[in-house]
Amino acid sequence: GTFLSAPEVMHHYGISRTPFREACNRLHHERILEVVPRRGYLIPEVSFRTVRDLFEVRLVLEVIIAELAAIRATPPQLDELTRLGEESWSLSQAGDTNEQFVKANTEFHLCLARMTQNRELLSLAAGILERNERVSYMELRSSWFQPKEIQNLHGSIVDAIRRRDPAAARTAVIDDIQRGKTEIFGSEEVE
């Protein structure tokens, strides 16, 4: 809900006006900033509706991704998914920073998208997951997943993909995304 101060940002990062504008234009394109004519760039507040919409899109998209990943994943990709799952578990257990955990979680879900062997799905997932990172930081400030919970959620996904079971992969991804949604909204749906 605040405006970016161009002089402050440029001074803080030691950049000129051109890189500042390019970065702001990219963030505007990614819907992280809003352009306000003759005022500059506004960092919009994230509404519950925006977050709900994001979770709904993730559910639709990642269900298809999980099912295709279970069918198309290569052995090296399965090893990579296992490694990323273990990394996210160890980060949550070690009490590392929220940023490291959020990045590891994003990479885990991007790995699933890469397993589809479909560049369009990967591109869509990358865009959604980038926007989801902002929500994840807010979520982790208010609560913290328990390491065992992370292990169970991601472990179920890894196991289903390894078994080449699209239905189980679908269920595991739904459980994972729904758990994140419940952390933000509680058990009640926000309209």
mmCIF file with all atom_site columns, all heavy atoms in Angstrom, residues 36-57:
data_model
loop_
_atom_site.group_PDB
_atom_site.id
_atom_site.type_symbol
_atom_site.label_atom_id
_atom_site.label_alt_id
_atom_site.label_comp_id
_atom_site.label_asym_id
_atom_site.label_entity_id
_atom_site.label_seq_id
_atom_site.pdbx_PDB_ins_code
_atom_site.Cartn_x
_atom_site.Cartn_y
_atom_site.Cartn_z
_atom_site.occupancy
_atom_site.B_iso_or_equiv
_atom_site.pdbx_formal_charge
_atom_site.auth_seq_id
_atom_site.auth_comp_id
_atom_site.auth_asym_id
_atom_site.auth_atom_id
_atom_site.pdbx_PDB_model_num
ATOM 1   N N   . VAL A 1 36 ? 0.871   4.422   -11.235 1.00 0.00 ? 36 VAL A N   1
ATOM 2   C CA  . VAL A 1 36 ? -0.062  5.505   -10.940 1.00 0.00 ? 36 VAL A CA  1
ATOM 3   C C   . VAL A 1 36 ? 0.461   6.734   -11.690 1.00 0.00 ? 36 VAL A C   1
ATOM 4   O O   . VAL A 1 36 ? 1.525   7.257   -11.348 1.00 0.00 ? 36 VAL A O   1
ATOM 5   C CB  . VAL A 1 36 ? -0.155  5.785   -9.426  1.00 0.00 ? 36 VAL A CB  1
ATOM 6   C CG1 . VAL A 1 36 ? -1.114  6.928   -9.157  1.00 0.00 ? 36 VAL A CG1 1
ATOM 7   C CG2 . VAL A 1 36 ? -0.571  4.529   -8.677  1.00 0.00 ? 36 VAL A CG2 1
ATOM 8   N N   . PRO A 1 37 ? -0.261  7.158   -12.749 1.00 0.00 ? 37 PRO A N   1
ATOM 9   C CA  . PRO A 1 37 ? 0.220   8.285   -13.556 1.00 0.00 ? 37 PRO A CA  1
ATOM 10  C C   . PRO A 1 37 ? 0.581   9.511   -12.698 1.00 0.00 ? 37 PRO A C   1
ATOM 11  O O   . PRO A 1 37 ? -0.138  9.871   -11.771 1.00 0.00 ? 37 PRO A O   1
ATOM 12  C CB  . PRO A 1 37 ? -0.957  8.591   -14.483 1.00 0.00 ? 37 PRO A CB  1
ATOM 13  C CG  . PRO A 1 37 ? -1.700  7.295   -14.573 1.00 0.00 ? 37 PRO A CG  1
ATOM 14  C CD  . PRO A 1 37 ? -1.544  6.649   -13.217 1.00 0.00 ? 37 PRO A CD  1
ATOM 15  N N   . ARG A 1 38 ? 1.710   10.106  -13.005 1.00 0.00 ? 38 ARG A N   1
ATOM 16  C CA  . ARG A 1 38 ? 2.256   11.298  -12.360 1.00 0.00 ? 38 ARG A CA  1
ATOM 17  C C   . ARG A 1 38 ? 2.577   11.122  -10.877 1.00 0.00 ? 38 ARG A C   1
ATOM 18  O O   . ARG A 1 38 ? 2.851   12.079  -10.178 1.00 0.00 ? 38 ARG A O   1
ATOM 19  C CB  . ARG A 1 38 ? 1.325   12.505  -12.552 1.00 0.00 ? 38 ARG A CB  1
ATOM 20  C CG  . ARG A 1 38 ? 1.186   12.924  -14.011 1.00 0.00 ? 38 ARG A CG  1
ATOM 21  C CD  . ARG A 1 38 ? 0.296   14.131  -14.184 1.00 0.00 ? 38 ARG A CD  1
ATOM 22  N NE  . ARG A 1 38 ? -1.083  13.920  -13.803 1.00 0.00 ? 38 ARG A NE  1
ATOM 23  C CZ  . ARG A 1 38 ? -2.009  13.284  -14.523 1.00 0.00 ? 38 ARG A CZ  1
ATOM 24  N NH1 . ARG A 1 38 ? -1.674  12.764  -15.684 1.00 0.00 ? 38 ARG A NH1 1
ATOM 25  N NH2 . ARG A 1 38 ? -3.236  13.156  -14.095 1.00 0.00 ? 38 ARG A NH2 1
ATOM 26  N N   . ARG A 1 39 ? 2.530   9.877   -10.384 1.00 0.00 ? 39 ARG A N   1
ATOM 27  C CA  . ARG A 1 39 ? 2.872   9.623   -8.987  1.00 0.00 ? 39 ARG A CA  1
ATOM 28  C C   . ARG A 1 39 ? 3.973   8.586   -8.859  1.00 0.00 ? 39 ARG A C   1
ATOM 29  O O   . ARG A 1 39 ? 4.726   8.603   -7.903  1.00 0.00 ? 39 ARG A O   1
ATOM 30  C CB  . ARG A 1 39 ? 1.643   9.151   -8.194  1.00 0.00 ? 39 ARG A CB  1
ATOM 31  C CG  . ARG A 1 39 ? 0.560   10.171  -8.111  1.00 0.00 ? 39 ARG A CG  1
ATOM 32  C CD  . ARG A 1 39 ? 0.189   10.730  -6.764  1.00 0.00 ? 39 ARG A CD  1
ATOM 33  N NE  . ARG A 1 39 ? 0.898   10.438  -5.574  1.00 0.00 ? 39 ARG A NE  1
ATOM 34  C CZ  . ARG A 1 39 ? 0.362   9.937   -4.480  1.00 0.00 ? 39 ARG A CZ  1
ATOM 35  N NH1 . ARG A 1 39 ? -0.905  9.592   -4.459  1.00 0.00 ? 39 ARG A NH1 1
ATOM 36  N NH2 . ARG A 1 39 ? 1.079   9.761   -3.411  1.00 0.00 ? 39 ARG A NH2 1
ATOM 37  N N   . GLY A 1 40 ? 3.993   7.632   -9.784  1.00 0.00 ? 40 GLY A N   1
ATOM 38  C CA  . GLY A 1 40 ? 5.020   6.602   -9.723  1.00 0.00 ? 40 GLY A CA  1
ATOM 39  C C   . GLY A 1 40 ? 4.455   5.201   -9.621  1.00 0.00 ? 40 GLY A C   1
ATOM 40  O O   . GLY A 1 40 ? 3.439   4.881   -10.224 1.00 0.00 ? 40 GLY A O   1
ATOM 41  N N   . TYR A 1 41 ? 5.116   4.392   -8.812  1.00 0.00 ? 41 TYR A N   1
ATOM 42  C CA  . TYR A 1 41 ? 4.754   2.986   -8.688  1.00 0.00 ? 41 TYR A CA  1
ATOM 43  C C   . TYR A 1 41 ? 4.238   2.701   -7.281  1.00 0.00 ? 41 TYR A C   1
ATOM 44  O O   . TYR A 1 41 ? 4.861   3.054   -6.287  1.00 0.00 ? 41 TYR A O   1
ATOM 45  C CB  . TYR A 1 41 ? 5.967   2.096   -8.973  1.00 0.00 ? 41 TYR A CB  1
ATOM 46  C CG  . TYR A 1 41 ? 6.461   2.222   -10.389 1.00 0.00 ? 41 TYR A CG  1
ATOM 47  C CD1 . TYR A 1 41 ? 7.497   3.097   -10.713 1.00 0.00 ? 41 TYR A CD1 1
ATOM 48  C CD2 . TYR A 1 41 ? 5.887   1.472   -11.406 1.00 0.00 ? 41 TYR A CD2 1
ATOM 49  C CE1 . TYR A 1 41 ? 7.948   3.216   -12.014 1.00 0.00 ? 41 TYR A CE1 1
ATOM 50  C CE2 . TYR A 1 41 ? 6.330   1.598   -12.711 1.00 0.00 ? 41 TYR A CE2 1
ATOM 51  C CZ  . TYR A 1 41 ? 7.356   2.471   -13.004 1.00 0.00 ? 41 TYR A CZ  1
ATOM 52  O OH  . TYR A 1 41 ? 7.789   2.578   -14.292 1.00 0.00 ? 41 TYR A OH  1
ATOM 53  N N   . LEU A 1 42 ? 3.113   2.022   -7.225  1.00 0.00 ? 42 LEU A N   1
ATOM 54  C CA  . LEU A 1 42 ? 2.473   1.663   -5.970  1.00 0.00 ? 42 LEU A CA  1
ATOM 55  C C   . LEU A 1 42 ? 2.649   0.171   -5.724  1.00 0.00 ? 42 LEU A C   1
ATOM 56  O O   . LEU A 1 42 ? 2.470   -0.645  -6.630  1.00 0.00 ? 42 LEU A O   1
ATOM 57  C CB  . LEU A 1 42 ? 0.968   1.985   -6.033  1.00 0.00 ? 42 LEU A CB  1
ATOM 58  C CG  . LEU A 1 42 ? 0.116   1.530   -4.855  1.00 0.00 ? 42 LEU A CG  1
ATOM 59  C CD1 . LEU A 1 42 ? 0.430   2.384   -3.615  1.00 0.00 ? 42 LEU A CD1 1
ATOM 60  C CD2 . LEU A 1 42 ? -1.362  1.623   -5.198  1.00 0.00 ? 42 LEU A CD2 1
ATOM 61  N N   . ILE A 1 43 ? 3.014   -0.162  -4.497  1.00 0.00 ? 43 ILE A N   1
ATOM 62  C CA  . ILE A 1 43 ? 3.061   -1.565  -4.099  1.00 0.00 ? 43 ILE A CA  1
ATOM 63  C C   . ILE A 1 43 ? 1.674   -1.882  -3.544  1.00 0.00 ? 43 ILE A C   1
ATOM 64  O O   . ILE A 1 43 ? 1.324   -1.430  -2.458  1.00 0.00 ? 43 ILE A O   1
ATOM 65  C CB  . ILE A 1 43 ? 4.137   -1.806  -3.013  1.00 0.00 ? 43 ILE A CB  1
ATOM 66  C CG1 . ILE A 1 43 ? 5.501   -1.343  -3.493  1.00 0.00 ? 43 ILE A CG1 1
ATOM 67  C CG2 . ILE A 1 43 ? 4.152   -3.290  -2.620  1.00 0.00 ? 43 ILE A CG2 1
ATOM 68  C CD1 . ILE A 1 43 ? 6.553   -1.280  -2.408  1.00 0.00 ? 43 ILE A CD1 1
ATOM 69  N N   . PRO A 1 44 ? 0.867   -2.607  -4.317  1.00 0.00 ? 44 PRO A N   1
ATOM 70  C CA  . PRO A 1 44 ? -0.515  -2.831  -3.883  1.00 0.00 ? 44 PRO A CA  1
ATOM 71  C C   . PRO A 1 44 ? -0.590  -3.827  -2.727  1.00 0.00 ? 44 PRO A C   1
ATOM 72  O O   . PRO A 1 44 ? 0.262   -4.699  -2.575  1.00 0.00 ? 44 PRO A O   1
ATOM 73  C CB  . PRO A 1 44 ? -1.194  -3.413  -5.123  1.00 0.00 ? 44 PRO A CB  1
ATOM 74  C CG  . PRO A 1 44 ? -0.101  -4.072  -5.866  1.00 0.00 ? 44 PRO A CG  1
ATOM 75  C CD  . PRO A 1 44 ? 1.148   -3.265  -5.584  1.00 0.00 ? 44 PRO A CD  1
ATOM 76  N N   . GLU A 1 45 ? -1.625  -3.642  -1.917  1.00 0.00 ? 45 GLU A N   1
ATOM 77  C CA  . GLU A 1 45 ? -1.883  -4.619  -0.871  1.00 0.00 ? 45 GLU A CA  1
ATOM 78  C C   . GLU A 1 45 ? -2.449  -5.870  -1.533  1.00 0.00 ? 45 GLU A C   1
ATOM 79  O O   . GLU A 1 45 ? -3.088  -5.801  -2.570  1.00 0.00 ? 45 GLU A O   1
ATOM 80  C CB  . GLU A 1 45 ? -2.876  -4.054  0.137   1.00 0.00 ? 45 GLU A CB  1
ATOM 81  C CG  . GLU A 1 45 ? -2.289  -2.905  0.939   1.00 0.00 ? 45 GLU A CG  1
ATOM 82  C CD  . GLU A 1 45 ? -3.233  -2.415  2.015   1.00 0.00 ? 45 GLU A CD  1
ATOM 83  O OE1 . GLU A 1 45 ? -4.102  -3.199  2.464   1.00 0.00 ? 45 GLU A OE1 1
ATOM 84  O OE2 . GLU A 1 45 ? -3.076  -1.254  2.407   1.00 0.00 ? 45 GLU A OE2 1
ATOM 85  N N   . VAL A 1 46 ? -2.199  -6.997  -0.921  1.00 0.00 ? 46 VAL A N   1
ATOM 86  C CA  . VAL A 1 46 ? -2.701  -8.250  -1.452  1.00 0.00 ? 46 VAL A CA  1
ATOM 87  C C   . VAL A 1 46 ? -4.050  -8.521  -0.792  1.00 0.00 ? 46 VAL A C   1
ATOM 88  O O   . VAL A 1 46 ? -4.138  -8.634  0.424   1.00 0.00 ? 46 VAL A O   1
ATOM 89  C CB  . VAL A 1 46 ? -1.725  -9.412  -1.171  1.00 0.00 ? 46 VAL A CB  1
ATOM 90  C CG1 . VAL A 1 46 ? -2.278  -10.723 -1.679  1.00 0.00 ? 46 VAL A CG1 1
ATOM 91  C CG2 . VAL A 1 46 ? -0.373  -9.124  -1.805  1.00 0.00 ? 46 VAL A CG2 1
ATOM 92  N N   . SER A 1 47 ? -5.096  -8.624  -1.599  1.00 0.00 ? 47 SER A N   1
ATOM 93  C CA  . SER A 1 47 ? -6.432  -8.869  -1.059  1.00 0.00 ? 47 SER A CA  1
ATOM 94  C C   . SER A 1 47 ? -6.662  -10.366 -0.870  1.00 0.00 ? 47 SER A C   1
ATOM 95  O O   . SER A 1 47 ? -6.000  -11.199 -1.488  1.00 0.00 ? 47 SER A O   1
ATOM 96  C CB  . SER A 1 47 ? -7.493  -8.311  -2.004  1.00 0.00 ? 47 SER A CB  1
ATOM 97  O OG  . SER A 1 47 ? -7.558  -9.090  -3.181  1.00 0.00 ? 47 SER A OG  1
ATOM 98  N N   . PHE A 1 48 ? -7.621  -10.686 -0.015  1.00 0.00 ? 48 PHE A N   1
ATOM 99  C CA  . PHE A 1 48 ? -7.983  -12.089 0.171   1.00 0.00 ? 48 PHE A CA  1
ATOM 100 C C   . PHE A 1 48 ? -8.481  -12.690 -1.138  1.00 0.00 ? 48 PHE A C   1
ATOM 101 O O   . PHE A 1 48 ? -8.216  -13.848 -1.444  1.00 0.00 ? 48 PHE A O   1
ATOM 102 C CB  . PHE A 1 48 ? -9.045  -12.240 1.263   1.00 0.00 ? 48 PHE A CB  1
ATOM 103 C CG  . PHE A 1 48 ? -8.468  -12.176 2.642   1.00 0.00 ? 48 PHE A CG  1
ATOM 104 C CD1 . PHE A 1 48 ? -8.723  -11.088 3.454   1.00 0.00 ? 48 PHE A CD1 1
ATOM 105 C CD2 . PHE A 1 48 ? -7.669  -13.189 3.127   1.00 0.00 ? 48 PHE A CD2 1
ATOM 106 C CE1 . PHE A 1 48 ? -8.183  -11.028 4.723   1.00 0.00 ? 48 PHE A CE1 1
ATOM 107 C CE2 . PHE A 1 48 ? -7.126  -13.141 4.393   1.00 0.00 ? 48 PHE A CE2 1
ATOM 108 C CZ  . PHE A 1 48 ? -7.391  -12.048 5.204   1.00 0.00 ? 48 PHE A CZ  1
ATOM 109 N N   . ARG A 1 49 ? -9.183  -11.896 -1.916  1.00 0.00 ? 49 ARG A N   1
ATOM 110 C CA  . ARG A 1 49 ? -9.699  -12.403 -3.187  1.00 0.00 ? 49 ARG A CA  1
ATOM 111 C C   . ARG A 1 49 ? -8.550  -12.762 -4.132  1.00 0.00 ? 49 ARG A C   1
ATOM 112 O O   . ARG A 1 49 ? -8.588  -13.795 -4.802  1.00 0.00 ? 49 ARG A O   1
ATOM 113 C CB  . ARG A 1 49 ? -10.616 -11.373 -3.841  1.00 0.00 ? 49 ARG A CB  1
ATOM 114 C CG  . ARG A 1 49 ? -11.209 -11.897 -5.109  1.00 0.00 ? 49 ARG A CG  1
ATOM 115 C CD  . ARG A 1 49 ? -12.135 -10.908 -5.760  1.00 0.00 ? 49 ARG A CD  1
ATOM 116 N NE  . ARG A 1 49 ? -12.750 -11.565 -6.886  1.00 0.00 ? 49 ARG A NE  1
ATOM 117 C CZ  . ARG A 1 49 ? -13.980 -11.392 -7.260  1.00 0.00 ? 49 ARG A CZ  1
ATOM 118 N NH1 . ARG A 1 49 ? -14.755 -10.564 -6.624  1.00 0.00 ? 49 ARG A NH1 1
ATOM 119 N NH2 . ARG A 1 49 ? -14.454 -12.030 -8.304  1.00 0.00 ? 49 ARG A NH2 1
ATOM 120 N N   . THR A 1 50 ? -7.530  -11.916 -4.173  1.00 0.00 ? 50 THR A N   1
ATOM 121 C CA  . THR A 1 50 ? -6.366  -12.196 -5.008  1.00 0.00 ? 50 THR A CA  1
ATOM 122 C C   . THR A 1 50 ? -5.696  -13.494 -4.581  1.00 0.00 ? 50 THR A C   1
ATOM 123 O O   . THR A 1 50 ? -5.335  -14.324 -5.416  1.00 0.00 ? 50 THR A O   1
ATOM 124 C CB  . THR A 1 50 ? -5.356  -11.033 -4.927  1.00 0.00 ? 50 THR A CB  1
ATOM 125 O OG1 . THR A 1 50 ? -5.987  -9.843  -5.387  1.00 0.00 ? 50 THR A OG1 1
ATOM 126 C CG2 . THR A 1 50 ? -4.110  -11.309 -5.745  1.00 0.00 ? 50 THR A CG2 1
ATOM 127 N N   . VAL A 1 51 ? -5.560  -13.679 -3.282  1.00 0.00 ? 51 VAL A N   1
ATOM 128 C CA  . VAL A 1 51 ? -4.927  -14.893 -2.760  1.00 0.00 ? 51 VAL A CA  1
ATOM 129 C C   . VAL A 1 51 ? -5.794  -16.107 -3.064  1.00 0.00 ? 51 VAL A C   1
ATOM 130 O O   . VAL A 1 51 ? -5.294  -17.150 -3.500  1.00 0.00 ? 51 VAL A O   1
ATOM 131 C CB  . VAL A 1 51 ? -4.654  -14.756 -1.243  1.00 0.00 ? 51 VAL A CB  1
ATOM 132 C CG1 . VAL A 1 51 ? -4.114  -16.062 -0.669  1.00 0.00 ? 51 VAL A CG1 1
ATOM 133 C CG2 . VAL A 1 51 ? -3.679  -13.619 -0.981  1.00 0.00 ? 51 VAL A CG2 1
ATOM 134 N N   . ARG A 1 52 ? -7.093  -15.986 -2.862  1.00 0.00 ? 52 ARG A N   1
ATOM 135 C CA  . ARG A 1 52 ? -8.009  -17.092 -3.167  1.00 0.00 ? 52 ARG A CA  1
ATOM 136 C C   . ARG A 1 52 ? -7.911  -17.473 -4.646  1.00 0.00 ? 52 ARG A C   1
ATOM 137 O O   . ARG A 1 52 ? -7.822  -18.644 -5.000  1.00 0.00 ? 52 ARG A O   1
ATOM 138 C CB  . ARG A 1 52 ? -9.446  -16.709 -2.828  1.00 0.00 ? 52 ARG A CB  1
ATOM 139 C CG  . ARG A 1 52 ? -10.417 -17.879 -3.047  1.00 0.00 ? 52 ARG A CG  1
ATOM 140 C CD  . ARG A 1 52 ? -11.832 -17.449 -3.231  1.00 0.00 ? 52 ARG A CD  1
ATOM 141 N NE  . ARG A 1 52 ? -11.916 -16.647 -4.452  1.00 0.00 ? 52 ARG A NE  1
ATOM 142 C CZ  . ARG A 1 52 ? -12.898 -15.817 -4.730  1.00 0.00 ? 52 ARG A CZ  1
ATOM 143 N NH1 . ARG A 1 52 ? -13.877 -15.636 -3.881  1.00 0.00 ? 52 ARG A NH1 1
ATOM 144 N NH2 . ARG A 1 52 ? -12.919 -15.135 -5.856  1.00 0.00 ? 52 ARG A NH2 1
ATOM 145 N N   . ASP A 1 53 ? -7.923  -16.448 -5.519  1.00 0.00 ? 53 ASP A N   1
ATOM 146 C CA  . ASP A 1 53 ? -7.810  -16.697 -6.959  1.00 0.00 ? 53 ASP A CA  1
ATOM 147 C C   . ASP A 1 53 ? -6.514  -17.419 -7.292  1.00 0.00 ? 53 ASP A C   1
ATOM 148 O O   . ASP A 1 53 ? -6.484  -18.342 -8.119  1.00 0.00 ? 53 ASP A O   1
ATOM 149 C CB  . ASP A 1 53 ? -7.895  -15.389 -7.745  1.00 0.00 ? 53 ASP A CB  1
ATOM 150 C CG  . ASP A 1 53 ? -9.270  -14.742 -7.689  1.00 0.00 ? 53 ASP A CG  1
ATOM 151 O OD1 . ASP A 1 53 ? -10.226 -15.363 -7.176  1.00 0.00 ? 53 ASP A OD1 1
ATOM 152 O OD2 . ASP A 1 53 ? -9.375  -13.578 -8.147  1.00 0.00 ? 53 ASP A OD2 1
ATOM 153 N N   . LEU A 1 54 ? -5.435  -17.019 -6.650  1.00 0.00 ? 54 LEU A N   1
ATOM 154 C CA  . LEU A 1 54 ? -4.136  -17.639 -6.875  1.00 0.00 ? 54 LEU A CA  1
ATOM 155 C C   . LEU A 1 54 ? -4.171  -19.117 -6.487  1.00 0.00 ? 54 LEU A C   1
ATOM 156 O O   . LEU A 1 54 ? -3.703  -19.984 -7.235  1.00 0.00 ? 54 LEU A O   1
ATOM 157 C CB  . LEU A 1 54 ? -3.058  -16.894 -6.091  1.00 0.00 ? 54 LEU A CB  1
ATOM 158 C CG  . LEU A 1 54 ? -1.622  -17.326 -6.269  1.00 0.00 ? 54 LEU A CG  1
ATOM 159 C CD1 . LEU A 1 54 ? -1.163  -17.150 -7.702  1.00 0.00 ? 54 LEU A CD1 1
ATOM 160 C CD2 . LEU A 1 54 ? -0.734  -16.522 -5.335  1.00 0.00 ? 54 LEU A CD2 1
ATOM 161 N N   . PHE A 1 55 ? -4.746  -19.416 -5.345  1.00 0.00 ? 55 PHE A N   1
ATOM 162 C CA  . PHE A 1 55 ? -4.842  -20.811 -4.918  1.00 0.00 ? 55 PHE A CA  1
ATOM 163 C C   . PHE A 1 55 ? -5.724  -21.628 -5.852  1.00 0.00 ? 55 PHE A C   1
ATOM 164 O O   . PHE A 1 55 ? -5.428  -22.789 -6.140  1.00 0.00 ? 55 PHE A O   1
ATOM 165 C CB  . PHE A 1 55 ? -5.339  -20.920 -3.468  1.00 0.00 ? 55 PHE A CB  1
ATOM 166 C CG  . PHE A 1 55 ? -4.236  -20.775 -2.466  1.00 0.00 ? 55 PHE A CG  1
ATOM 167 C CD1 . PHE A 1 55 ? -4.088  -19.603 -1.750  1.00 0.00 ? 55 PHE A CD1 1
ATOM 168 C CD2 . PHE A 1 55 ? -3.339  -21.807 -2.239  1.00 0.00 ? 55 PHE A CD2 1
ATOM 169 C CE1 . PHE A 1 55 ? -3.072  -19.458 -0.827  1.00 0.00 ? 55 PHE A CE1 1
ATOM 170 C CE2 . PHE A 1 55 ? -2.309  -21.676 -1.314  1.00 0.00 ? 55 PHE A CE2 1
ATOM 171 C CZ  . PHE A 1 55 ? -2.179  -20.495 -0.611  1.00 0.00 ? 55 PHE A CZ  1
ATOM 172 N N   . GLU A 1 56 ? -6.817  -21.043 -6.328  1.00 0.00 ? 56 GLU A N   1
ATOM 173 C CA  . GLU A 1 56 ? -7.689  -21.763 -7.256  1.00 0.00 ? 56 GLU A CA  1
ATOM 174 C C   . GLU A 1 56 ? -6.954  -22.094 -8.550  1.00 0.00 ? 56 GLU A C   1
ATOM 175 O O   . GLU A 1 56 ? -7.066  -23.213 -9.071  1.00 0.00 ? 56 GLU A O   1
ATOM 176 C CB  . GLU A 1 56 ? -8.953  -20.956 -7.551  1.00 0.00 ? 56 GLU A CB  1
ATOM 177 C CG  . GLU A 1 56 ? -9.927  -20.945 -6.395  1.00 0.00 ? 56 GLU A CG  1
ATOM 178 C CD  . GLU A 1 56 ? -11.139 -20.065 -6.636  1.00 0.00 ? 56 GLU A CD  1
ATOM 179 O OE1 . GLU A 1 56 ? -11.206 -19.360 -7.679  1.00 0.00 ? 56 GLU A OE1 1
ATOM 180 O OE2 . GLU A 1 56 ? -12.032 -20.071 -5.769  1.00 0.00 ? 56 GLU A OE2 1
ATOM 181 N N   . VAL A 1 57 ? -6.191  -21.144 -9.065  1.00 0.00 ? 57 VAL A N   1
ATOM 182 C CA  . VAL A 1 57 ? -5.433  -21.390 -10.300 1.00 0.00 ? 57 VAL A CA  1
ATOM 183 C C   . VAL A 1 57 ? -4.359  -22.442 -10.052 1.00 0.00 ? 57 VAL A C   1
ATOM 184 O O   . VAL A 1 57 ? -4.147  -23.331 -10.877 1.00 0.00 ? 57 VAL A O   1
ATOM 185 C CB  . VAL A 1 57 ? -4.827  -20.077 -10.849 1.00 0.00 ? 57 VAL A CB  1
ATOM 186 C CG1 . VAL A 1 57 ? -3.839  -20.349 -11.965 1.00 0.00 ? 57 VAL A CG1 1
ATOM 187 C CG2 . VAL A 1 57 ? -5.927  -19.152 -11.321 1.00 0.00 ? 57 VAL A CG2 1
#
